[in-house]
Amino acid sequence: MTLRSSSILGLTALATLVALGAALSASADEPRSNFGPVGPSEPILAKIGTQRVIAFYKPEAGRCAVMAVVWGDLDAKVPYASTRIRIDLKPGEMVRLDAAEKQSMNLLCGADASTLAVVAPPELIRTGALNTD
C-alpha cells in the first residue's frame, strides 16, 4: 500500500466517523424505537404513554422466554421505578403491557419461537384506530 492510498483510507475513515458522530448527536435526545420483529436476544424498544419498555427473548423448548423491563420516562430529577416481567409464550401467544394512561401494547411470539414483535392491541384493530402510515 502506498502512502497516498493509506492517506485516502485514513481520510475516508475520519469522514465516516465525523458523519456517524453528527448523526448520533442529532438523535441523542430522542429515544430509539424498535418494534420488531426481532430475533433471539435482540431488543424491542418501545414507549407506552410515559412508560419505556425494553424486551427480548430466548427460545426455550419451542416457546419464547420473554424478559421485559418497564420504567417511567419522566423528568431527569424523578427517580426511576422499574418493573421486570418474565413470561413464557407459546408461538402465536401475546402478552399485553398496560401503562397508567390507559394505553397498551402487545408482544407476540412468532412461529416456532423465531421472532418477537410489538403488535397493536385488539381494540385498535377492531375500531380501525390503528394508523399504519
Side-chain angles (χ1 to χ4, degrees):
M1 182 180 291
T2 66
L3 181 58
R4 182 179 171 138
S5 62
S6 348
S7 297
I8 291 171
L9 286 175
L11 288 174
T12 303
L14 180 61
T16 302
L17 287 174
V18 169
L20 179 60
L24 289 176
S25 66
S27 65
D29 293 335
E30 300 171 20
R32 296 183 56 118
S33 294
N34 182 11
F35 303 118
V38 297
S41 301
E42 295 176 351
I44 293 278
L45 303 169
K47 185 173 182 177
I48 317 168
T50 60
Q51 303 289 308
R52 299 286 303 161
V53 177
I54 183 168
F56 64 95
Y57 83 102
K58 291 185 178 186
E60 288 185 6
R63 298 174 179 238
C64 293
V66 178
M67 286 136 292
V69 176
V70 180
W71 72 96
D73 189 19
L74 304 172
D75 188 312
K77 296 177 185 176
V78 177
Y80 286 115
S82 61
T83 302
R84 183 178 71 165
I85 300 152
R86 295 178 68 176
I87 188 167
D88 286 343
L89 299 172
K90 293 178 187 174
E93 286 186 327
M94 290 186 280
V95 63
R96 181 177 179 146
L97 304 175
D98 294 326
E101 300 85 16
K102 297 184 181 179
Q103 295 178 335
S104 64
M105 67 177 247
N106 295 331
L107 294 173
L108 172 67
C109 179
D112 300 320
S114 61
T115 60
L116 184 70
V118 173
V119 294
E123 64 271 11
L124 290 180
I125 296 169
R126 281 195 300 268
T127 63
L130 181 63
N131 184 359
T132 58
D133 292 335

